[in-house]
Amino acid sequence: MTDAQETAADSTLRTTGGAPPDDGGSSDAEAPIPLLEPRDGIPPVIADEATLAEVIAAFAAGSGPVAVDAERASGYRYGQRAYLVQLRREGAGTALIDPIACPDLSGLGEALSDVEWVLHAATQDLPCLREIDMVPSRLFDTELAGRLAGFPRVGLGAMVENVLGYVLEKGHSAVDWSTRPLPEPWLRYAALDVELLVDLRDALEKELDRQGKLEWARQEFDAIATAPPAEPRKDPWRRTSGMHKVRRRRQMAVVRELWEARDRIARRRDVSPGKVLSDAAIVEAALALPAGAQALAALNGFGHRMGRRQLEQWQAAVDRAKALPETALPAHGQPVTGPPPPKAWADKDPAAAARLSAARAGVSALAEQLNMPQENLITPDTVRRLCWEPPATADADSISASLAGYGARAWQVELVTPVLVGALSAVGKNA
């Protein structure tokens, strides 16, 4: 038994300010213990194929689940690739792998293909892990487990503190992980991120079982593990911060041209797009529609330390947008594939608005009773779609089928169906 497991065993859940309110713990729990060093020291970074082969063999021979984490360089580099991969498994210890020096980790992924992976906020790391051929067949997400168990704070540091009684260092989560060589304090932080992940998994599994939610969690984890990669966003330029200020289609075209020009430059230079040109500057230019580079230079975000050549390339993007025929200008909004925004329901379909209000109230009450966030009980989008286009007969069979068709898991269908039947039937009787 590890030190962390012994700590967890002393109290089913330590109550340092974030445990579920029904855990029966006392408010005078021991102070959390700072975790300053990995128990086996900071391992060397794996940066060559020969050493990687040794790590693969060691982890294949290990036992139990494997803790997995990845560090990206968000805000510094283009895209969301992994710049460090951390793993820990009983019998193998901790490994820190440089996926830039060792870009093909398919062998490691295959060696761990039948092993349960323990990740915190799995959906954040799985895309970059998939890029290096590391894809789990089974997983346990400690953040999602915390949500289902009713913890109000589910960050890794908060969970480790509240469940296991240890304090993790927090100082290096947003650094530039593309830096080489990586400083020792960063490597210590990275190793500590997987140090207690399996211990946390074990404690949370016991808590979910105690609450009768373990099977629900397993269904959620299976859904994450089997989900296909996300489709690329359509018209990603529409997500430019401050876009709500841009009203006219010609101005929207300027945003699109500047965003796409910035994206090409950022991709070529492998830097974060925000370091090339800020969203605020893009919106400023769209609103002003400058006549030339001199006018552009007078706008916020363009004049400071920006050379003539740079100004001209941005002005060229503005001019391209200004020269477009009306038929080539972007539409005010993307085609709506689902229900309209709920705020418009009262005017468009008062009965649907009444159904949504009743359904939301019922789901909220059930989520409170179960001590979990509403969005984990059932997604708001699923509730909206069902209320906007309900089945012809609001009975259990038809509503269950609709929920399953929208991707709800079996446990969600079982729990939420009676609530929605009651809500939709009550509105139908009063209509």
Side-chain angles (χ1 to χ4, degrees):
M1 179 179 286
T2 67
D3 292 342
Q5 287 172 321
E6 290 176 355
T7 300
D10 289 342
S11 173
T12 304
L13 283 180
R14 294 175 60 97
T15 53
T16 56
D22 63 342
D23 70 343
S26 63
S27 59
D28 57 349
E30 296 177 10
I33 304 167
L35 192 62
L36 303 177
E37 291 287 339
R39 68 191 78 165
D40 303 323
I42 303 172
V45 177
I46 308 303
D48 63 85
E49 296 300 326
T51 316
L52 176 62
E54 295 174 4
V55 167
I56 292 173
F59 273 80
S63 61
V66 57
V68 182
D69 191 20
E71 304 296 346
R72 300 177 296 278
S74 303
Y76 297 93
R77 296 288 184 175
Y78 185 88
Q80 293 296 314
R81 71 185 300 181
Y83 284 92
L84 187 71
V85 175
Q86 308 102 280
L87 304 99
R88 183 173 180 84
R89 192 181 189 196
E90 187 69 27
T94 298
L96 304 179
I97 302 174
D98 181 352
I100 307 305
C102 301
D104 181 8
L105 296 184
S106 58
L108 180 60
E110 290 170 7
L112 300 173
S113 61
D114 295 327
V115 177
E116 180 188 83
W117 295 23
V118 184
L119 302 102
H120 191 81
T123 54
Q124 294 182 20
D125 286 338
L126 287 177
C128 71
L129 291 171
R130 185 178 285 112
E131 288 182 1
I132 50 178
D133 294 317
M134 291 188 64
V135 183
S137 59
R138 294 185 293 128
L139 64 83
F140 189 107
D141 186 333
T142 50
E143 183 197 53
L144 181 52
R147 292 183 186 278
L148 295 176
F151 285 82
R153 298 169 58 224
V154 293
L156 180 59
M159 293 296 293
V160 166
E161 181 176 336
N162 296 329
V163 176
L164 300 178
Y166 285 87
V167 178
L168 291 177
E169 184 182 357
K170 303 175 183 177
H172 304 299
S173 60
V175 298
D176 181 3
W177 287 95
S178 68
T179 300
R180 293 296 183 272
L182 287 164
E184 182 177 294
W186 300 11
L187 296 175
R188 180 182 297 107
Y189 165 90
L192 289 173
D193 262 4
V194 291
E195 179 83 2
L196 301 180
L197 210 47
V198 173
D199 297 333
L200 179 61
R201 172 235 179 272
D202 292 344
L204 288 172
E205 182 179 60
K206 291 178 182 177
E207 177 61 17
L208 288 167
D209 191 36
R210 184 185 75 80
Q211 295 186 26
K213 298 175 179 178
L214 184 55
E215 176 55 30
W216 305 353
R218 286 172 175 158
Q219 291 182 31
E220 292 300 296
F221 302 156
D222 286 345
I224 294 173
T226 58
E231 294 288 332
R233 291 187 183 276
K234 184 179 180 181
D235 292 348
W237 57 269
R238 292 182 182 271
R239 297 177 62 84
T240 302
S241 179
M243 190 68 189
H244 62 281
K245 302 175 186 176
V246 182
R247 306 288 188 180
R248 293 158 49 194
R249 294 174 62 206
R250 184 71 61 185
Q251 294 172 328
M252 293 169 62
V254 172
V255 172
R256 181 178 63 187
E257 291 292 336
L258 285 171
W259 190 97
E260 291 177 349
R262 179 184 70 174
D263 192 68
R264 289 191 296 270
I265 295 169
R267 183 189 296 270
R268 185 178 72 247
R269 291 169 48 190
D270 189 20
V271 297
S272 170
K275 289 187 174 296
V276 176
L277 188 68
S278 70
D279 280 9
I282 289 178
V283 170
E284 186 89 2
L287 295 177
L289 294 174
Q294 185 174 354
L296 183 67
L299 301 178
N300 289 334
F302 289 95
H304 181 60
R305 292 188 300 179
M306 187 171 286
R308 179 74 184 180
R309 185 176 178 182
Q310 288 178 294
L311 286 169
E312 288 176 349
Q313 74 179 0
W314 299 128
Q315 184 60 42
V318 173
D319 291 342
R320 286 195 298 272
K322 292 166 70 174
L324 289 172
E326 287 289 328
T327 54
L329 297 179
H332 276 291
Q334 294 173 294
V336 177
T337 57
K343 62 184 179 181
W345 286 29
D347 293 330
K348 291 178 177 291
D349 190 336
R355 288 192 294 268
L356 182 61
S357 177
R360 282 175 164 174
V363 169
S364 176
L366 179 58
E368 185 174 351
Q369 178 186 334
L370 296 172
N371 188 30
M372 71 170 64
Q374 295 180 43
E375 61 270 20
N376 291 115
L377 175 59
I378 192 74
T379 66
D381 181 67
T382 296
V383 175
R384 287 194 295 269
R385 288 175 182 273
L386 182 70
C387 291
W388 185 252
E389 295 185 16
T393 305
D395 58 22
D397 288 342
S398 59
I399 287 181
S400 293
S402 295
L403 291 175
Y406 291 132
R409 266 67 73 190
W411 73 273
Q412 295 175 315
V413 173
E414 180 181 355
L415 288 170
V416 175
T417 291
V419 171
L420 296 179
V421 168
L424 271 60
S425 298
V427 171
K429 291 177 182 178
N430 297 329

